[in-house]
Amino acid sequence: MPVWMGTSWKMNKTLAQARDYTVRLVKELGDRDLTGVQPFIIPPFTALATVREIAVDDPRVILGAQNAHWDDAGAWTGEISVPQALDAGARIIEIGHSERRQHFGETIETTRLKVAAALRHGALALLCVGEPAEVRDAGRSTAYILEQAEGALAGLSDEQLRSVLIAYEPIWAIGEAGRPATPEELRGPFAALRERFGDRVRGLLYGGSVNQDNASDLLRIDGVDGLFVGRAAWEVEGFLALLDIATAHNSTDS
Ligand code: 13P
């Protein structure tokens, strides 16, 4: 199983910035040995096709979309479908990020529909789960994230689950106001995700204030197959440094 190392740019980067980042990334990766590491970038929709045009020069880097609608086409103003996202270069469809659940009405039911749409079109579904601080404080983190994951993945066959990645991103760990979860805080949730979905899904990722100082320790947690990064990978040097950490982890691991 590769070490997944990916970034969502969230609502950041103009086309010029996206182009600059990707040109530099592809150039720097050059003939770097990425054996056992799976890099991915999830740009905003507007930059996807531009990033794809450049990233085709290094097919090891796969691209994703930050969201997609469950319907294939139609009167859904402002939405983007899975076929459109794939057409623009995505192979991964991110679903259920907490920012979408908190601010845009994403529910367990809509995540279930979106996972189904991603799988129907042969994409990888990257399902994000994560609890707010009050739930953590009440000691209910594991129950909460299992409910989110089980709801979104209900009824999927083992073959379908092989195209699903789950990212555990506690809400209290994400963004400027967040603090990274400690390995102690992550052991329980990852053990539960591993027990419930284990090797049936493509991989289990951690996200939330990942940086160059904590990435290596986070990758060593049992059940963590990779990291999903925001701010620390928005500059290409940061992403390259994290890819180096993943490579080093992989070589000490095997
Ligand atoms: P940060 O790494 O900026 O905390 O964001 C994590 C995230 O939400 C990735 O999806």
Side-chain angles (χ1 to χ4, degrees), residues 10 94 97 99 169 173-175 208-210 228-231:
K10 305 194 181 186
E94 181 182 351
H97 190 279
E99 288 150 16
E169 304 204 329
I174 294 174
S209 297
V210 172
F228 189 23
V229 189
R231 291 157 296 153

Side-chain angles (χ1 to χ4, degrees), residues 9 18-27 29-30 34 38-43 47-64 88-91 239:
W9 292 348
R19 197 176 291 119
D20 183 51
Y21 184 113
T22 316
V23 165
R24 291 174 63 196
L25 178 69
V26 167
K27 180 163 170 279
L29 287 182
L34 284 178
Q38 179 56 71
F40 64 95
I41 300 178
I42 309 195
L48 198 42
T50 298
V51 171
R52 189 252 304 262
E53 273 171 31
I54 302 162
V56 284
D57 290 338
D58 193 335
R60 297 174 299 179
V61 179
I62 61 178
L63 306 180
R91 278 185 54 203
F239 191 38

